[in-house]
């Protein structure tokens, strides 16, 4: 490969919460016991150096010693338009339909408060990303979960009957989609999105679609933008993207929305601008330009091959060596969502005991209960394969 996805990068002392934030809360892994180094597999960021064109773009701009007020460059919008054309087959996207967001969750709240009032019900699939559940409840909305169901092959599927029943029962007019889905890693197929949108159209539901994981596709999976599946979807969906997951830029801040309907766009932009927090950072702008370039395309392609190898190895290893633990093989993201129900029952262990057993030997996995996985653990596999293998071997030797 042209880029390095095998070297073990030392992130200690470099402001990485994944390593320097241990033991800070109940959700945070405890430091390992003596004799084991720590393998970060909880925070959803990557342990790979990003594509070199990003620091090059930041450094080149930072050389000029003035960082005053600015307007986004045309190159910023052109980069986004070209990126979505190349990777997602999007045509006709214009500058006016792109808007800046400090973060996807901030954009979700701007969209929610534009079309729903505190106390209103919001539909969300379960298992559910903790950022969604916290944002919905903290802002006074009623969260209504529609549980994803595993089919005969262990693939998570939407339960359309349940979705429609809950939309009707709770008078829901706003829904949050996650595509690809976090934490299960499902990459929704076109017919699945079409069927969901038929239900949303029937009940006049406005859709908020988090597509931040859309570049991280495994084993040849293809992302279908939610807005592309029907006329209703295009006119009634606010989609949110960012280079932060793709290129490991969360610490720089910066995402964006794509909204085709002008009325929807105006209301969400108005909400986002009122608190005066939603302002682009000049270095983040240059980071996106450095990311969404030809080398960035090459880097992401190699990253997806690397992540696919990691996911394939881990799923095969768990199937062969860890009885009582199952995982639905993700098609996107770099997360595993382990179902430990059978193992805990057979060994009379609690989730807390299992989590701490992993942490004690340096495997920094994450409690899945916050994601509405009652006996689940979330694992980040965006590490060199050697570290993935080391973590899984420790789990077999010392935990399971």
């Amino acid at each position: 490969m042209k880029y390095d996805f095998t070297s073990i990068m030392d992130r200690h002392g470099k402001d990485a919460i994944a390593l320097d934030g241990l033991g800070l809360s109940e959700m945070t892994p405890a430091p390992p016991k003596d004799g084991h180094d720590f393998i970060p597999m909880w925070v959803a960021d990557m342990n790979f150096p990003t594509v070199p064109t990003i620091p090059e773009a930041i450094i080149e701009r930072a050389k000029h010693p003035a960082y005053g007020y600015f307007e986004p460059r045309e190159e910023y919008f052109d980069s986004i338009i070209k990126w979505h054309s190349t990777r997602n087959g999007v045509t006709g996207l214009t500058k006016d339909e792109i808007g800046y967001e400090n973060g996807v969750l901030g954009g979700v709240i701007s969209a929610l408060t534009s079309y729903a009032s505190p106390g209103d019900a919001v539909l969300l699939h379960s298992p559910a990303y903790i950022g969604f559940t916290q944002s919905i409840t903290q802002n006074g909305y009623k969260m209504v979960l529609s549980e994803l169901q595993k089919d005969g092959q262990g693939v998570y599927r939407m339960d359309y009957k349940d979705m429609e029943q809950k939309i009707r029962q709770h008078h829901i007019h706003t829904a949050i989609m996650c595509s690809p889905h976090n934490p299960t890693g499902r990459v929704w197929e076109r017919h699945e999105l079409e069927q969901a949108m038929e239900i949303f159209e029937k009940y006049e539901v406005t859709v908020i679609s988090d597509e931040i994981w859309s570049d991280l596709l495994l084993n040849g999976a293809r992302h279908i933008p939610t807005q592309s599946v029907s006329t209703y979807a295009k006119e009634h969906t606010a989609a949110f993207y960012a280079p932060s997951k793709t290129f490991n830029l969360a610490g720089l801040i910066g995402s964006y929305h794509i909204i085709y309907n002008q009325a929807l766009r105006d209301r969400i932009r108005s909400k986002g601008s009122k608190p005066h927090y939603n302002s682009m950072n000049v270095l983040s702008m240059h980071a996106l330009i450095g990311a969404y370039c030809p080398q960035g395309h090459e880097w992401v392609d190699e990253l997806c091959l690397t992540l696919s190898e990691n996911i394939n190895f881990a799923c095969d290893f768990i199937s062969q060596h860890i009885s009582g633990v199952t995982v639905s093989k993700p098609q996107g993201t770099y997360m595993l969502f382990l179902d430990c129900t059978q193992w805990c029952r057979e060994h009379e262990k609690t989730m807390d005991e299992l989590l701490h057993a992993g942490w004690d030997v340096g495997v920094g996995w994450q409690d899945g209960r916050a994601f509405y996985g009652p006996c689940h653990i979330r694992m980040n596999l965006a590490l060199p394969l050697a570290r993935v293998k080391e973590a899984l071997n420790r789990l077999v030797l010392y935990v399971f």
Side-chain angles (χ1 to χ4, degrees), residues 30-249:
K33 291 184 176 180
D34 292 343
H36 296 284
D37 66 332
F38 184 75
I39 303 175
M41 307 181 86
W42 63 292
V43 174
D45 65 8
M46 295 191 289
N47 296 274
F48 304 123
T50 194
V51 63
T53 50
I54 293 174
E56 289 168 4
I58 294 172
I59 291 167
E60 184 61 32
R61 174 60 185 85
K63 287 178 181 178
H64 191 282
Y67 313 100
Y69 295 108
F70 73 104
E71 289 292 329
R73 296 180 175 211
E74 289 297 318
E75 187 181 359
Y76 170 83
F77 297 102
D78 289 343
S79 297
I80 293 172
I81 291 168
K82 290 175 182 176
W83 186 263
H84 284 271
S85 173
T86 301
R87 303 203 77 83
N88 297 326
V90 175
T91 59
L93 179 62
T94 68
K95 170 184 174 180
D96 290 341
E97 292 156 345
I98 301 167
Y100 176 78
E101 303 284 350
N102 270 353
V104 164
L105 288 177
V108 167
I109 294 305
S110 293
L112 270 179
T113 54
S114 296
Y115 281 86
S117 299
D120 287 352
V122 179
L123 186 73
L124 179 65
H125 289 121
S126 170
Y129 169 45
I130 189 173
F132 292 151
T133 59
Q134 290 180 342
S135 295
I136 291 169
T137 56
Q138 288 170 355
N139 284 273
Y141 296 95
K142 178 182 178 182
M143 184 169 59
V144 177
L145 297 175
S146 178
E147 186 175 352
L148 299 175
Q149 303 295 328
K150 288 186 181 180
D151 65 15
Q153 287 71 49
V155 177
Y156 283 97
R157 302 285 183 182
M158 292 184 238
D159 186 338
Y160 302 107
K161 183 177 179 180
D162 181 70
M163 290 167 60
E164 182 167 9
Q165 183 267 325
K166 286 176 175 172
I167 288 171
R168 187 170 57 246
Q169 176 185 348
H170 297 279
H171 309 288
I172 291 174
H173 291 283
T174 312
I176 296 177
M177 291 283 291
C178 191
S179 181
H181 185 266
N182 176 18
T184 69
R186 263 311 312 276
V187 174
W188 305 117
E189 300 168 37
R190 179 173 293 276
H191 72 89
E192 293 176 295
L193 293 170
E194 287 174 344
Q195 193 165 345
M197 276 296 168
E198 287 173 4
I199 296 170
F200 294 146
E201 182 174 7
K202 181 178 179 180
Y203 295 95
E204 298 182 333
V205 174
T206 298
V207 179
I208 302 165
S209 188
D210 172 6
E211 306 192 18
I212 196 171
W213 295 95
S214 59
D215 297 318
L216 301 181
L217 305 171
L218 308 173
N219 297 308
R222 182 186 171 212
H223 173 68
I224 306 297
T226 303
Q227 292 164 318
S228 71
V229 300
S230 70
T231 301
Y232 183 87
K234 184 173 183 177
E235 292 299 314
H236 294 83
T237 300
F240 295 90
Y241 297 89
S244 56
K245 279 287 177 280
T246 309
F247 294 97
N248 215 34
L249 306 180

Side-chain angles (χ1 to χ4, degrees), residues 286-314:
H286 284 272
L288 181 142
I289 294 170
Y292 285 3
C293 69
Q295 295 94 325
H297 285 280
E298 293 177 344
W299 186 88
V300 172
D301 289 343
E302 291 191 5
L303 170 66
C304 289
L305 291 174
T306 300
L307 296 177
S308 297
E309 184 179 9
N310 288 3
I311 291 288
N312 294 343
F313 174 85

